[in-house]
Amino acid sequence: MRHAILLVEDNPGDARLIREMIREVQDASFLLERVERLTEGIARLGGGDISAVLLDLSLPDSQGLESFRRLHAHAPDVPILVLTGLDDEELGLQAIREGAQDYLIKGRVDGHLLIRALRYAIERKRQEAALRFLVETSRSLALSLDPGATVEQVAQLAVPVLADLCIVDLLQEERLEPVAAAHVDSGAVPGLLERHRGFLRDDALAQSVQQAVRERRSILLSPQPVVAGEDRAISPRWTGIVVPLVARGRTMGAIYFEKILPHNDHAMPDLWLYEEFGRRAALAIDNAQLLTKALEAARLRDSVLSSVSHDLRNPLMVVKIIAETLAFQIRSRDVPNSAEIIEGLERIDAATVKMTALIDDLLDVAQMQAGGRIRLRRRQTDLVALIQGVIADYRVRAPRHRLRTEFAVPVLTGWWDAARLERVIGNLLANAIKYSPPSSEVIIRLFSEQDADGEWATVEVEDHGVGIPAADLPRIFTWFYRGQNVADRTTGSGIGLAGARQIVELHGGTITVQSAEGKGSLFRVRLPLGEAGDDSEDAEVDQ
């Protein structure tokens, strides 16, 4: 391939010497053009087709590094070599820092050195452009999360930088299927996929694509005349490149590139660039497919979770009603061992209450994960009576623990969702009992307080159990997370505290914890006091 070199030099003697040096090397790949002024050089660069510039820094209309800066600003992608009589090392370093490819001193350069410097500069700039293209490719592909949009973008990015035509083939049920195409002539795109699909079935191209996919290696097709039968020496040629799409050890398909080569360009395309593009494209496509599968799995999980939760509530209610009915009948009749039977029925009733609370938590999780809104059913509620009811239930469930109350007020009312607050208090009390030794004391405090933000009802649940490791405290209210010191020792779902935080925050309150491993924990819930505008409302959840 011939390279047009622009010489910006006002001195005829120096220009003649440079021309002679290039001629002496007898390298026909460089064609020298000369202008005398910087403004003329800028105008010539605007016409394109310049591979590199040799720039003198002493020109009639510009002096020093300012000449380079102005020229570089107009053509940042063209390599510029400073060729000057100024033997100034600091000036040369500054030119390199600002983007010059080389700083050559007149009189110290021969033809071979000049040609080598030009070749290196052109190639270096070409590699820099390739790396910039790959960086931009990664950035663009990272923004796409939809598999279909990603493969379309892969084809669009490849044209015209890498090829005149690009087609993405993906394996679908072990068969290659063209899914995206791009062409320098947008009018040629319709029908391109169908035509390529026919090639994959019957054409020799199919063998190359299938071989690339099977062997996981790129294949460079032999150049062919654009017009069949024309002399290869004078006719433009096209070449094909097939790059497999492989990510995380999985072969997903291949990319087919087709590029037109000018008749005077005998250089083959850089295979490494196509392969690197293919690697980045494969990773982007794989990421998009994995994300889609993850979202579909999450939707299925939420759907199943919601359905199962609803289905479980009905039989539990039947069990609860039967247990309560039997207990009532036994109390009203003279039945032998009635105390033991009633105790067993009360345990069944308590277990159904616990299971119902867990199912309600699961329903809220499913609704939140599905992007729904949690509906709070606010009613005027006495928090003292609510907590006493929960404590009475747990005194039956855990008779060996001592549950002590410290209520600063006999009555404390607010507009709250009573059923959900029962779950919050029940969860905190259940955890305090579960993670503290039998016969230990659990303290439940209730009081009101006031600050600049208003009046608050504050509930504290304190135990002297295993506590929470300091490293776990920042995540203790995260969905499905459990403390490292209990995860392997006791069973749990990891939704209780996260659900409690959600309910409290929906009420406009806060929940916090103070804990030391081996010493116990204190959970504090603060709920705003005051009247609600409506006795029910929809509350939106942060996801």
Side-chain angles (χ1 to χ4, degrees):
M1 179 177 181
R2 300 194 70 181
H3 295 288
I5 308 299
L6 179 63
L7 173 63
V8 186
E9 172 63 72
D10 66 317
N11 188 310
D14 288 345
R16 186 169 55 254
L17 181 60
I18 293 168
R19 194 180 298 275
E20 287 297 326
M21 282 193 297
I22 293 177
R23 187 180 296 120
E24 286 176 1
V25 179
Q26 296 182 347
D27 192 325
S29 61
F30 291 96
L31 179 64
L32 195 65
E33 297 183 35
R34 177 195 168 213
V35 295
E36 297 183 0
R37 294 175 175 271
L38 184 67
T39 52
E40 296 172 351
I42 292 173
R44 177 61 186 88
L45 283 173
D49 297 328
I50 296 295
S51 298
V53 177
L54 291 171
L55 174 66
D56 184 21
L57 295 183
S58 299
L59 298 170
D61 56 346
S62 182
Q63 295 290 316
L65 269 185
E66 187 60 27
S67 302
F68 167 76
R69 295 185 184 114
R70 290 172 60 188
L71 197 66
H72 185 58
H74 280 83
D77 295 330
V78 177
I80 301 173
L81 295 82
V82 175
L83 182 57
T84 180
L86 298 174
D87 187 0
D88 186 332
E89 186 173 348
E90 188 58 38
L91 183 66
L93 288 173
Q94 185 61 33
I96 297 299
R97 292 190 191 103
E98 295 190 23
Q101 292 294 311
D102 213 331
Y103 189 89
L104 305 173
I105 309 299
K106 293 177 182 178
R108 299 185 185 177
V109 180
D110 62 17
H112 291 282
L113 179 59
L114 182 59
I115 292 297
R116 186 164 62 228
L118 285 168
R119 283 204 182 103
Y120 289 175
I122 293 169
E123 182 59 26
R124 192 159 48 240
K125 204 68 175 179
R126 200 165 66 90
Q127 297 299 322
E128 289 173 2
L131 292 175
R132 282 198 304 273
F133 167 71
L134 291 173
V135 169
E136 286 301 319
T137 293
S138 295
R139 184 179 294 116
S140 298
L141 292 176
L143 298 175
S144 178
L145 301 178
D146 176 73
T150 300
V151 294
E152 286 287 348
Q153 193 168 28
V154 166
Q156 296 294 331
L157 286 169
V159 176
V161 179
L162 295 181
D164 299 285
L165 176 152
C166 176
I167 297 178
V168 181
D169 299 315
L170 293 184
L171 282 171
Q172 297 180 0
E173 298 180 356
E174 299 185 358
R175 184 173 180 174
L176 282 169
E177 184 68 23
V179 293
H183 196 283
V184 287
D185 178 6
S186 58
V189 173
L192 199 56
L193 290 179
E194 192 59 39
R195 197 156 55 246
H196 185 74
R197 187 177 288 110
F199 291 157
L200 289 178
R201 303 294 177 261
D202 307 313
D203 195 83
L205 174 62
Q207 298 179 11
S208 298
V209 176
Q210 291 165 0
Q211 182 182 358
V213 171
R214 184 175 60 253
E215 299 179 4
R216 293 187 177 183
R217 68 179 182 89
S218 301
I219 294 178
L220 184 62
L221 305 181
S222 300
Q224 300 293 328
V226 172
V227 179
E230 286 196 0
D231 187 348
R232 295 191 181 191
I234 61 173
S235 170
R237 302 168 300 154
W238 68 267
T239 186
I241 303 167
V242 185
V243 176
L245 287 168
V246 181
R248 299 181 178 92
R250 183 170 71 96
T251 304
M252 296 176 289
I255 307 178
Y256 173 68
F257 305 91
E258 198 169 285
K259 186 175 180 64
I260 304 298
L261 304 174
H263 73 274
N264 61 347
D265 185 0
H266 301 289
M268 294 301 291
D270 286 329
L271 194 57
W272 74 268
L273 179 56
Y274 291 83
E275 290 177 332
E276 186 58 35
F277 178 84
R279 275 190 286 271
R280 298 179 189 221
L283 188 60
I285 294 170
D286 192 46
N287 285 341
Q289 291 178 344
L290 288 175
L291 178 63
T292 298
K293 290 178 182 178
L295 291 174
E296 289 174 353
R299 282 192 290 269
L300 177 62
R301 176 204 64 194
D302 297 335
S303 175
V304 170
L305 190 61
S306 179
S307 175
V308 169
S309 297
H310 280 293
D311 291 344
L312 286 174
R313 285 176 62 91
N314 294 331
L316 276 176
M317 290 305 298
V318 172
V319 172
K320 179 176 174 62
I321 291 171
I322 291 174
E324 291 175 344
T325 302
L326 287 174
F328 174 78
Q329 291 178 348
I330 290 171
R331 286 191 184 95
S332 61
R333 300 177 184 178
D334 186 15
V335 177
N337 302 318
S338 61
E340 294 180 4
I341 296 172
I342 289 173
E343 181 183 357
L345 291 171
E346 286 177 342
R347 288 183 178 178
I348 292 173
D349 184 64
T352 60
V353 171
K354 182 179 179 181
M355 284 297 298
T356 301
L358 286 173
I359 290 170
D360 288 340
D361 280 339
L362 287 173
L363 283 170
D364 282 353
V365 172
Q367 191 169 359
M368 184 195 72
Q369 295 291 332
R373 298 163 71 92
I374 304 300
R375 185 175 181 81
L376 292 181
R377 293 174 174 82
R378 295 180 187 265
R379 301 288 186 275
Q380 195 167 26
T381 303
D382 178 13
L383 202 53
V384 173
L386 184 148
I387 295 174
Q388 285 176 335
V390 175
I391 292 173
D393 179 43
Y394 275 89
R395 281 191 171 127
V396 174
R397 297 193 206 180
R400 298 176 64 184
H401 281 78
R402 290 176 289 120
L403 307 182
R404 179 160 62 91
T405 59
E406 296 180 1
F407 293 172
V409 289
V411 175
L412 191 58
T413 59
W415 290 84
W416 300 308
D417 185 326
R420 283 191 166 89
L421 283 189
E422 282 183 359
R423 280 158 52 191
V424 172
I425 304 302
N427 180 268
L428 296 181
L429 201 51
N431 283 346
I433 293 170
K434 183 176 183 178
Y435 298 120
S436 61
S439 302
S440 65
E441 185 177 64
V442 176
I443 305 171
I444 303 95
R445 302 184 184 91
L446 174 63
F447 53 91
S448 64
E449 56 184 337
Q450 192 160 2
D451 59 19
D453 296 323
E455 193 174 4
W456 302 83
T458 301
V459 183
E460 291 182 349
V461 177
E462 182 178 7
D463 67 69
H464 301 88
V466 298
I468 303 168
D472 291 330
L473 286 173
R475 301 180 61 192
I476 203 65
F477 294 106
T478 303
W479 290 108
F480 309 113
Y481 185 81
R482 302 188 67 218
Q484 299 303 306
N485 61 333
V486 298
D488 297 331
R489 294 162 49 188
T490 58
T491 59
S493 62
I495 65 173
L497 288 177
R501 184 191 69 170
Q502 173 189 290
I503 292 170
V504 171
E505 290 180 351
L506 289 175
H507 281 84
T510 61
I511 180 170
T512 57
V513 61
Q514 294 173 302
S515 185
E517 189 173 8
K519 296 183 178 180
S521 304
L522 187 151
F523 284 85
R524 181 178 291 109
V525 174
R526 299 179 81 230
L527 297 167
L529 287 165
E531 294 188 2
D534 300 310
D535 58 358
S536 68
E537 67 178 25
D538 283 340
E540 199 156 7
V541 185
D542 290 333
Q543 298 187 49

